[in-house]
Amino acid sequence: MYLALIILPLLGSIVSGFFGRKVGVSGAQLITSSSVIVTTILAIIAFFEVGLNNIPVSIQLFRWIDSESLNVSWGFHFDSLTVSMLIPVLIVSSLVHIYSIGYMSHDPHNQRFFSYLSLFTFMMIILVTANNFLLMFVGWEGVGICSYLLVSFWFTRIAANQSSMSALLTNRVGDCFLTIGMFAILWSFGNNQIIIKDSNINKIKYTRTLPHRQVRHYSSKTCSQNIGSYLAGLIEGDGHIAVHDKNSKSKVYRPKIIIVFYINDRPLAERLSAVLKLGIVVSRSSAGHVLLQILAKEEVFKIINLINGHMRTPKIEALHRAIRWINEKDNSSIPCLGVDTSPLNSNSWLAGFTDAEGNFSITNRKKNSKLVRTNVQIFFRIEVKQNYSREVTSDQGGN
């Protein structure tokens, strides 16, 4: 549904623009107007699903730029703000399409006009739903070009040409400042993904790029939406954060993160790798486990930003060492946040730590007597290393 919401206006524009003679004036008007109206209906449905139920949805189509210093994908994010903006944009666009059927009825180039109009709607959707600044810039530029094409549609009129040039030059001023802002974000944070600020912990988190709907399927033991806290618990249970010596001669160091899974939990490791789009899963069959190795610079940086402020055990010292290394080598300013002291009740950290170190078991015991009785006991255990026990429980009142 969400992908259809994005591409329907584009399809209408293509049909009206490239096949306008075949479908005719009425066909072009019907196809473009219908596609925008259907898109509006889908946006209203998305508002009830995403906006009212607070279930963000992300779509990752493909990677656009994939390099060590810059990772950009064609991805779209629908949250409460996005769907709230889509509704007025698409309602107004639908009304403009319907009004233009009568207003442009005597123009011989109806198909071209409606193609521009639907293309304008498509670019507005890109601008509103893009999950990174570079893709948002594409939508911004598309809106500017479509505005120019629509204003100068009657290009034989001098007033139309003057107005279109004024609009185009005004948009170029906005382009300059938007470009400066993108480079400032890239220089400050090392990535151009759209970021939001979590006011509860006062730090930057890369949360808009995560498919929240899929986060709830990371494990059968958790349905938490807080992936940062979940990952922190998972890493503190069976994870390893280190800055190791890659080449002893040149003294080149780099951080790495490795999470260990039991061999039966390989689907969980593969899902984490696929959904977060990072790391590689390596089998260690002889040892009975698999590894999720996160070695790439930008991937380690992403995980660190997610778990920073959510750790509860002495492994936070290893995280701080990695952060200090990144700040020194990359001229970054990632804060070394302290131990998370929030209650464990309904906390996704506990779910991650349980996935790593906990287990559920059922014991069936039969008592020898005249009447055979079966005693069934259900256990939940978490194996905590001795030096971790006090750290984890001290801030929870011993619970």
Side-chain angles (χ1 to χ4, degrees):
M1 181 186 79
Y2 295 91
L3 188 58
L5 190 155
I6 297 170
I7 66 174
L8 275 178
L10 177 62
L11 294 178
S13 176
I14 292 174
V15 171
S16 181
F18 290 96
F19 306 100
R21 291 186 178 182
K22 293 185 178 181
V23 300
V25 174
S26 299
Q29 294 172 346
L30 179 62
I31 291 172
T32 55
S33 299
S34 299
S35 64
V36 175
I37 292 173
V38 172
T39 302
T40 305
I41 296 173
L42 294 178
I44 295 174
I45 296 174
F47 176 79
F48 283 100
E49 180 178 337
V50 173
L52 299 184
N53 295 325
N54 194 24
I55 306 176
V57 175
S58 292
I59 299 175
Q60 297 289 340
L61 296 182
F62 55 86
R63 292 194 176 185
W64 185 8
I65 302 174
D66 191 0
S67 65
E68 182 178 354
S69 59
L70 186 62
N71 186 7
V72 182
S73 63
W74 274 79
F76 305 94
H77 184 81
F78 296 86
D79 56 15
S80 300
L81 177 61
T82 301
V83 295
S84 299
M85 287 296 297
L86 280 177
I87 289 179
V89 166
L90 291 172
I91 288 178
V92 172
S93 181
S94 299
L95 294 176
V96 170
H97 275 75
I98 295 172
Y99 177 80
S100 299
I101 293 176
Y103 184 77
M104 299 292 294
S105 59
H106 301 293
D107 193 279
H109 305 291
N110 259 270
Q111 297 94 320
R112 180 161 55 89
F113 178 83
F114 278 88
S115 177
Y116 293 163
L117 204 56
S118 289
L119 186 61
F120 179 89
T121 305
F122 169 72
M123 290 300 177
M124 280 295 297
I125 295 174
I126 297 294
L127 177 62
V128 173
T129 61
N131 76 339
N132 61 78
F133 282 118
L134 192 57
L135 185 57
M136 186 186 73
F137 186 76
V138 172
W140 170 267
E141 285 296 314
V143 168
I145 296 299
C146 291
S147 298
Y148 170 79
L149 294 174
L150 288 169
V151 174
S152 64
F153 181 76
W154 286 320
F155 54 85
T156 56
R157 300 181 182 182
I158 297 178
N161 286 327
Q162 290 177 343
S163 298
S164 63
M165 290 303 297
S166 298
L168 189 65
L169 292 176
T170 302
N171 285 335
R172 298 293 75 76
V173 176
D175 294 346
C176 294
F177 286 101
L178 186 56
T179 304
I180 293 173
M182 287 193 299
F183 277 108
I185 290 175
L186 183 62
W187 178 77
S188 299
F189 301 110
N191 203 318
N192 82 319
Q193 300 293 329
I194 286 181
I195 52 178
I196 61 174
K197 193 171 185 179
D198 188 339
S199 58
N200 295 326
I201 56 178
N202 194 28
K203 72 186 185 71
I204 299 297
K205 295 171 62 179
Y206 286 84
T207 57
R208 288 203 60 175
T209 61
L210 296 179
H212 297 266
R213 173 173 285 180
Q214 293 174 323
V215 165
R216 290 184 286 176
H217 301 292
Y218 279 164
S219 170
S220 59
K221 298 179 183 178
T222 178
C223 60
S224 172
Q225 295 183 10
N226 192 334
I227 182 60
S229 186
Y230 173 81
L231 281 174
L234 189 66
I235 292 172
E236 290 187 279
D238 270 333
H240 177 62
I241 305 173
V243 179
H244 71 283
D245 188 353
K246 181 182 178 182
N247 189 324
S248 59
K249 294 182 179 179
S250 60
K251 300 297 181 181
V252 177
Y253 295 81
R254 59 188 176 94
K256 69 174 182 179
I257 298 174
I258 296 177
I259 308 176
V260 183
F261 299 84
Y262 290 110
I263 194 70
N264 293 334
D265 290 332
R266 183 185 179 95
L268 172 60
E270 292 176 342
R271 181 171 291 275
L272 281 171
S273 178
V275 173
L276 294 173
K277 296 188 182 300
L278 50 76
I280 56 173
V281 178
V282 180
S283 295
R284 292 289 186 268
S285 301
S286 58
H289 59 252
V290 296
L291 306 178
L292 176 57
Q293 296 182 347
I294 304 167
L295 307 178
K297 172 184 172 182
E298 64 275 7
E299 295 177 355
V300 172
F301 185 82
K302 183 177 181 179
I303 292 294
I304 286 176
N305 275 280
L306 280 171
I307 67 175
N308 192 15
H310 293 293
M311 300 191 75
R312 297 170 177 266
T313 73
K315 280 190 179 180
I316 194 173
E317 298 175 2
L319 173 66
H320 288 172
R321 284 196 297 270
I323 290 176
R324 287 192 291 268
W325 185 93
I326 292 175
N327 289 340
E328 179 182 355
K329 300 296 182 180
D330 295 344
N331 195 25
S332 302
S333 56
I334 305 174
C336 290
L337 300 180
V339 174
D340 184 2
T341 60
S342 62
L344 285 175
N345 297 334
S346 302
N347 190 284
S348 54
W349 181 91
L350 184 60
F353 197 76
T354 301
D355 275 354
E357 299 287 2
N359 67 83
F360 294 86
S361 62
I362 299 177
T363 302
N364 187 354
R365 297 177 181 176
K366 293 184 179 181
K367 295 183 177 180
N368 295 324
S369 62
K370 295 181 179 180
L371 297 177
V372 178
R373 296 180 180 179
T374 301
N375 183 19
V376 179
Q377 295 179 331
I378 302 176
F379 295 93
F380 169 65
R381 295 186 180 92
I382 297 181
E383 299 177 4
V384 183
K385 296 180 177 62
Q386 184 176 0
N387 60 336
Y388 282 10
S389 178
R390 185 175 179 181
E391 296 286 341
V392 176
T393 60
S394 61
D395 294 318
Q396 311 302 327
N399 295 329

